Amino acid sequence: MTSQTRTAITTGDGVRIVYRFDGDENKPVLLLSNSIGTDLHMWDGQVSALTEHFRLLRYDARGHGASDVPSGPYSLDRLGRDVVELLDALGLQRVHVLGLSLGGIVAQWLGIHVPERVDRLVLSNTAAYLGPANQWDRPIAELLEAPDMQVTAERFLHNWFPARMLHGDDEVVEGFRRTLLATQREGVAGSWAAVRDYDLRRTATLIHNPTLVIAGEHDTVTSAEHGKELAATVPGARFTVLPTVHMANVEGQAEFVDAVVAFLTEQS
């Protein structure tokens, strides 16, 4: 049976988190965790290929999409606990986890703090640390003072996609632009605070789940060097570089899906 439901849970601190299942209930569950400034639809292009192998669980992180947007700074611990509470509410004891960018940071947190809830980890276009912390203060303040998301949206798109996708009427890019413009500034600012305050360079050594790190050769947000350092930190992690910018799942969709499926379905 194929499930395409979209519903919500309420976390312990009263925040509504929207989630959705896609795929056969009898297949292994793969949790997808999103980049900052996106919602669960950032994976739309990969759903068809991934549901051949997995039941997908997607969710809108707090501050994004149809989930609630609490004001103030968010913490990585809180973003990680949101996922644990989601898994608890759904009765899921153990899942594969694929996270990209901020989603990859949340995925690292899960591997460190609740490894028993994770089968295999895919950490895409992410890093163990994106400091120094003070570099985030000005963008956060400017965003909260801005009249809308217009400037931040264009900055994000420039960092996420290659010029060839931006200089045209790319339908996928337009979808990301619409999502960014509809995202509340407080959600992005709160999530930026979590990025500002986190540092997993030491604790990532505690991840012992089988792990694949994917980096983008031309990524200016979380560089290939960031990915290489993360893969060297996580014991036994594998490392692959795709010829992409930041949104490797979109720009290099076929290669991305092939790498993810091969790793997650590999016999131990």
Side-chain angles (χ1 to χ4, degrees):
M1 173 178 157
T2 298
S3 170
Q4 295 184 326
T5 58
R6 184 166 171 157
T7 184
I9 66 157
T10 300
T11 62
D13 64 337
V15 173
R16 185 172 171 271
I17 301 290
V18 167
Y19 68 91
R20 169 182 176 142
F21 277 116
D22 291 277
D24 189 331
E25 294 178 1
N26 297 312
K27 293 187 186 304
V29 174
L30 170 58
L31 172 86
L32 302 177
S33 189
N34 317 327
S35 156
I36 191 172
T38 70
D39 59 16
L40 56 79
H41 292 294
M42 73 163 276
W43 305 101
D44 279 356
Q46 296 80 62
V47 168
S48 178
L50 289 175
T51 50
E52 291 182 19
H53 306 274
F54 310 103
R55 186 185 193 205
L56 300 183
L57 172 56
R58 294 183 282 167
Y59 72 101
D60 289 343
R62 65 173 55 210
H64 292 78
S67 292
D68 287 347
V69 186
S71 58
Y74 306 163
S75 70
L76 178 55
D77 281 352
R78 184 62 257 180
L79 297 178
R81 287 200 303 273
D82 288 347
V83 176
V84 175
E85 291 188 43
L86 176 61
L87 296 178
D88 286 348
L90 298 175
L92 295 171
Q93 293 305 308
R94 194 173 174 89
V95 298
H96 295 306
V97 178
L98 162 57
L100 188 146
S101 196
L102 177 57
I105 297 171
V106 173
Q108 291 173 63
W109 186 94
L110 295 170
I112 293 164
H113 293 278
V114 288
E116 71 281 0
R117 308 302 295 272
V118 177
D119 191 349
R120 288 178 170 242
L121 274 175
V122 180
L123 308 174
S124 180
N125 301 82
T126 192
Y129 175 67
L130 285 171
N134 60 11
Q135 72 176 310
W136 301 103
D137 291 331
R138 185 173 176 180
I140 291 170
E142 289 178 345
L143 175 59
L144 291 174
E145 292 168 359
D148 54 38
M149 276 286 291
Q150 188 74 46
V151 172
T152 297
E154 295 308 315
R155 180 189 306 158
F156 277 19
L157 292 172
H158 177 77
N159 288 333
W160 288 352
F161 299 107
R164 62 178 169 77
M165 293 181 71
L166 295 173
H167 298 156
D169 297 319
D170 190 291
E171 177 106 8
V172 174
V173 172
E174 286 307 308
F176 278 88
R177 178 177 280 112
R178 286 192 296 272
T179 298
L180 280 163
L181 293 175
T183 301
Q184 294 186 45
R185 290 170 299 156
E186 292 79 7
V188 174
S191 302
W192 254 344
V195 174
R196 176 193 65 197
D197 297 337
Y198 95 106
D199 185 350
L200 302 180
R201 287 176 292 180
R202 294 181 67 179
T203 49
T205 61
L206 300 174
I207 297 174
H208 290 287
N209 307 85
T211 300
L212 170 66
V213 177
I214 298 174
E217 181 182 357
H218 310 294
D219 193 341
T220 59
V221 181
T222 52
S223 68
E225 192 61 31
H226 281 121
K228 185 177 180 181
E229 291 169 358
L230 177 58
T233 302
V234 176
R238 298 186 200 172
F239 180 55
T240 188
V241 179
L242 299 180
T244 68
V245 186
H246 192 57
M247 288 291 182
N249 64 310
V250 176
E251 184 187 349
Q253 181 170 287
E255 300 92 334
F256 182 90
V257 169
D258 285 349
V260 168
V261 170
F263 177 72
L264 294 181
T265 60
E266 179 183 80
Q267 297 300 311
S268 322

